[in-house]
Amino acid sequence: MPIKVRAYIYQCKDLPAADSNGTSDPFIKVWDISDKNKKTKVIEDNVNPLYYEVVELEYEVRDINDLESYPPFIFDLFDQDNELLNSNGQYLARAIITPK
C-alpha cells in the first residue's frame, strides 16, 4: 500500500564550508521510491541555512504497524557549484531517518 509522508525541513546548523569564501550554497535532496527529483531550494552563502519547506515522500508499506522494518528516509546535503557545468553539487552530509 503506497502512502505519502510529509518531511518538514526547517534548518541546518554549522555546515562545513565548501566554498573558498568560507560558506556553502546548500540544498537537500530527498530519496524515496518515486522517480521524481525532490530537493529544497539552494540557500546561497550560508552554513546555517533556514529552509522552512515541506517535501512529500512516497513510501510503499505492507504493514503500517511494522514501520521499523522498512528502509529509512535519506536526506543528502550538497553544496551547489554554479561555476561547474553539469554539476549535481558537492556532497556535504547525510541524514538517515528510520520510520516509526
Side-chain angles (χ1 to χ4, degrees):
M1 139 177 85
I3 63 170
K4 288 194 178 188
V5 176
R6 287 192 184 112
Y8 294 88
I9 301 174
Y10 295 110
Q11 66 183 13
C12 297
K13 286 188 169 194
D14 302 323
L15 297 177
D19 297 338
S20 61
N21 64 357
T23 64
S24 292
D25 306 313
F27 67 94
I28 300 169
K29 282 187 181 180
V30 185
W31 305 100
D32 66 3
I33 63 170
S34 74
D35 292 336
K36 298 174 185 160
N37 187 11
K38 298 181 181 185
K39 65 180 191 173
T40 65
K41 63 187 173 198
V42 175
I43 306 292
E44 299 287 332
D45 299 324
N46 203 319
V47 292
N48 297 298
L50 300 174
Y51 291 100
Y52 296 106
E53 292 187 40
V54 178
V55 177
E56 280 199 355
L57 307 171
E58 295 178 27
Y59 209 62
E60 188 69 37
V61 176
R62 291 181 301 279
D63 182 1
I64 197 75
N65 297 314
D66 187 29
L67 289 179
E68 292 181 9
S69 68
Y70 290 96
F73 297 105
I74 299 173
F75 297 78
D76 285 335
L77 182 68
F78 293 90
D79 171 62
Q80 180 70 47
D81 291 321
N82 291 331
E83 61 274 0
L84 299 176
L85 296 176
N86 299 323
S87 174
N88 290 330
Q90 178 183 357
Y91 177 82
L92 295 176
R94 173 175 276 180
I96 299 174
I97 300 173
T98 305
K100 295 188 179 201

